[in-house]
Amino acid sequence: MATTSAIERLKGLKQLLKIERDEDYRLYKEQFLRVTLDQRKKNGVTWYPIKINNEELGSGDLLHLEIERTTQIDKAHQFSSGKNVSLFSNQNEETYEITGTIKSVSKNSLKLIIHSDELPDWCYDGKLGINIQFDDNSYNEMQNALDVVINARNNRIEELREMIEGALPLSFEKINNDVLIPQLNLSQNKAVRHILSVNDIGVIHGPPGTGKTTSIVQAIRLTLQTESQVLVCAPTNSAVDLITEKLIELGVDVLRMGHPARISDELQNSSIDGKISSSPYYKDIKNLRRNAEEYFRMAGKYKRVFGKEEAQQRTAYYTEAKNCIKEARLLEDFIVDELFKTTKVICCTPVTSTHRGLAKKRFGTLFFDEASQALEPMVWIPLLKCKRLILSGDHFQLPPVVKSLEAKKGGLDETLLDRCIKFKEAVSLLTRQYRMNTAIMGFSNNYFYENELIADESVSAQVLLNDENSMLSKSIEFIDTAGCGFDEIQNTETLSHFNPKEGDVLFKHLQQLLTEYAQHEHLPAISVGIISPYKEQREWLKDNISEFEFDKTKLTSLSIKTIDGFQGEERDIIYISLVRSNERQEIGFLNDLRRMNVAITRAKKKLVVIGDSSTIGASKFYNSFLEYCERHGAYRTAWEWA
């Protein structure tokens, strides 16, 4: 049955993955191995010097540290939650290090979970720093998965491989129209019924605000009526957390797997460590560990110079201590084995699905959420354990991150969702969205979704204020900086762009809007999000917002992030600063239309975009957007605020 085209394509994919890994490592070395400590600090991949403010033993007997940069620095850094780092000391010409994973991070401090239950002595002698580590593990797992798929013969993996290639037809059971979930709308119910009929591969296509996750969790709940267990994956920990939360709300029994540092605090009870602590055997485990500590303490009383009897006594205490630890571990293993056998849903990232506890497990269904952000080999890792695949996502939103231009040109960023969306019979589109009013939805709906989306009546006409004479009644504004001389600036180190004058206009507009909004006592409090595709502009906005006075009477939250930071989120008002302004009409990063689609679909009641029409107007996408704004009377000039 094996077709050479599927195998050849996957062999090519393996090569592209190697190119991507090499490029990733090259960038890491450039920022890291070949440069001085000062340069690494500048690149944002090292913090030095640091101090440990607090240490405590957390879940799974792992040490939790609070770490702070001792020289407060306002520069951006590349540390983020979930990244692996090494804590190092470079005293006495020697370097000592111990590895850990970041739990959470702010500008100058972070929480770190160390892969040990105590700190080595050198940690108390000062001269400490932390480095970001290169993560090879995910590349290795992807390569291993591709090898298995390429070599698959006469089994389910081979069938799925050929179906994805289009060489084998997909099959479906008869749709059961009796399935009706009252809290879902028509297109969501249709999607759930579709999933239940899938034998091989199915896709839920969920554009922004259409309740994709709500639909999937209902489909999972119903799938559990015919399957004893399902596997649920997503490419990011935040996406896994979200789907886990929704399943728990439905009363589904979930195990959220992963390193404690990568799981949100609210979900620790659903993690392996959390479930161990709520087990009836946990008291016994604690007692055994306490006894072990006591035996170690007693053994430690015997100093080096002692006789034969003392030596025997010391050995006896050590043996007892080790026996207690061994028994505690056996009890833990027993609890974990039971969890893997009995828990209804196992939620994790693809790489975590290779956990030894899942090594021999097989599942009927893999639900893979946010599939537009996952490289194809990433989906194969958990799919090797499953008979059928349900993908959900939107191929017009965030693509996977590919760092190598060569790998990108070769098609490494083409996802399994991109491939499977072409099988029309496999796809169910969610058409009713609950986030944006009709005007904000309109452009994206027309450009990406063939006008198939409908704004639900609960949101279709929502505005900040119903008053034609007020700026609060306009759902969209494009503020044009063309001709104002607001030229972009490039940071020579990071090569990212920023535009301070455009930032000033944004803050002045926001000032005016919040002042006017606060005058209406009957209006509810609102949330504001400020987005820029450029990290350098995000940092400039964060650093300079304090220069402006805002009326915060009606403001619940104000966040400034890049587009990726807002994936899956929404705000009442969204500002987008496009930054680029040059005579060459170069727009660089703005060409990533899928990311821009994410940006313009985060707002519920008002969207304000600020940019230079003469720079962006040469692009078909932005030209269409400018025309859309003009048709809606949404065009303003920056001179009004300059």
Side-chain angles (χ1 to χ4, degrees), residues 137-138 141 231-237 240 255-260 262-263 272 340 346-359 378 381-382 385:
N137 190 26
S138 55
E141 294 297 353
L231 182 60
V232 177
C233 287
T236 64
N237 281 291
V240 179
L255 177 62
R256 165 66 168 104
M257 289 178 64
H259 190 289
R262 298 190 175 100
I263 301 174
I272 289 180
F340 285 134
I346 292 175
C347 286
C348 57
T349 58
V351 172
T352 309
S353 72
T354 60
H355 184 282
R356 62 189 170 82
L358 295 180
M378 203 40 106
I381 298 171
K385 300 177 184 301

Side-chain angles (χ1 to χ4, degrees), residues 345-619:
V345 179
I346 292 175
C347 286
C348 57
T349 58
V351 172
T352 309
S353 72
T354 60
H355 184 282
R356 62 189 170 82
L358 295 180
K360 294 191 172 113
K361 285 205 79 73
R362 293 296 171 263
F363 299 87
T365 308
L366 167 65
F367 285 87
F368 201 106
D369 196 16
E370 299 298 358
S372 68
Q373 294 179 56
L375 294 173
E376 177 178 343
M378 203 40 106
V379 183
W380 277 113
I381 298 171
L383 185 51
L384 297 178
K385 300 177 184 301
C386 305
K387 289 188 184 129
R388 65 177 198 138
L389 170 66
I390 305 298
L391 296 167
S392 60
D394 179 10
H395 56 303
F396 295 124
Q397 290 188 67
L398 288 188
V401 175
V402 176
K403 293 175 179 172
S404 156
L405 278 175
E406 188 186 343
K408 203 170 190 170
K409 273 188 190 142
L412 182 62
D413 62 346
E414 187 184 17
T415 64
L416 266 189
L417 183 69
D418 294 327
R419 301 190 74 76
C420 295
I421 209 106
K422 295 166 188 164
F423 307 136
K424 292 285 176 251
E425 74 279 21
V427 182
S428 193
L429 173 72
L430 302 177
T431 54
R432 185 170 291 273
Q433 69 83 19
Y434 296 86
R435 176 182 299 157
M436 305 160 267
N437 68 29
T438 309
I440 296 171
M441 175 188 80
F443 174 71
S444 180
N445 192 17
N446 178 37
Y447 198 91
F448 293 102
Y449 304 108
E450 298 176 3
N451 287 320
E452 287 193 74
L453 301 189
I454 304 147
D456 187 73
E457 54 199 36
S458 61
V459 299
S460 60
Q462 64 180 3
V463 285
L464 293 171
L465 178 72
N466 265 317
D467 174 1
E468 280 181 18
N469 302 317
S470 166
M471 73 188 293
L472 302 174
S473 68
K474 291 184 173 57
S475 299
I476 299 188
E477 287 183 53
F478 178 77
I479 300 173
D480 193 356
T481 65
C484 296
F486 291 2
D487 292 347
E488 65 192 46
I489 302 168
Q490 187 174 33
N491 179 325
T492 49
E493 279 174 24
T494 64
L495 303 182
S496 182
H497 294 81
F498 64 113
N499 195 323
K501 289 179 177 169
E502 184 174 290
D504 279 340
V505 168
L506 188 155
F507 286 142
K508 284 174 184 167
H509 186 283
L510 177 59
Q511 256 180 335
Q512 186 185 339
L513 186 146
L514 288 176
T515 304
E516 189 172 329
Y517 194 82
Q519 289 163 3
H520 300 274
E521 282 178 23
H522 67 286
L523 292 177
I526 46 169
S527 56
V528 175
I530 300 175
I531 299 178
S532 180
Y534 288 92
K535 281 182 182 165
E536 206 63 41
Q537 181 75 342
R538 176 196 65 190
E539 291 308 311
W540 186 92
L541 291 164
K542 280 182 171 180
D543 291 343
N544 290 275
I545 190 166
S546 55
E547 306 287 311
F548 293 79
E549 292 278 321
F550 295 104
D551 189 324
K552 294 179 179 167
T553 321
K554 296 272 187 179
L555 188 64
T556 55
S557 68
L558 193 158
S559 31
I560 303 172
K561 302 179 188 179
T562 57
I563 296 170
D564 295 39
F566 272 105
Q567 169 74 359
E569 295 189 17
E570 58 187 29
R571 298 289 186 273
D572 294 306
I573 303 165
I574 286 283
Y575 282 83
I576 303 174
S577 169
L578 295 178
V579 177
R580 301 309 299 263
S581 178
N582 57 68
E583 288 173 3
R584 305 174 300 284
Q585 292 187 317
E586 277 175 14
I587 61 170
F589 209 40
L590 300 186
N591 267 318
D592 192 339
L593 304 187
R594 285 162 59 160
R595 274 196 164 76
M596 286 314 298
N597 184 36
V598 171
I600 60 178
T601 54
R602 300 302 101 194
K604 290 154 72 170
K605 299 175 181 175
K606 188 173 179 74
L607 172 68
V608 182
V609 182
I610 307 174
D612 180 342
S613 64
S614 65
T615 300
I616 63 173
S619 146

Side-chain angles (χ1 to χ4, degrees), residues 28 31-32 35 39-47 77-79 130-132:
Y28 171 78
Q31 291 179 315
F32 216 92
V35 295
Q39 191 59 48
R40 295 205 312 262
K41 283 160 68 176
K42 235 179 197 173
N43 290 345
V45 293
T46 295
W47 281 10
H77 56 74
Q78 296 187 40
F79 290 80
I130 46 174
N131 289 328
I132 288 177

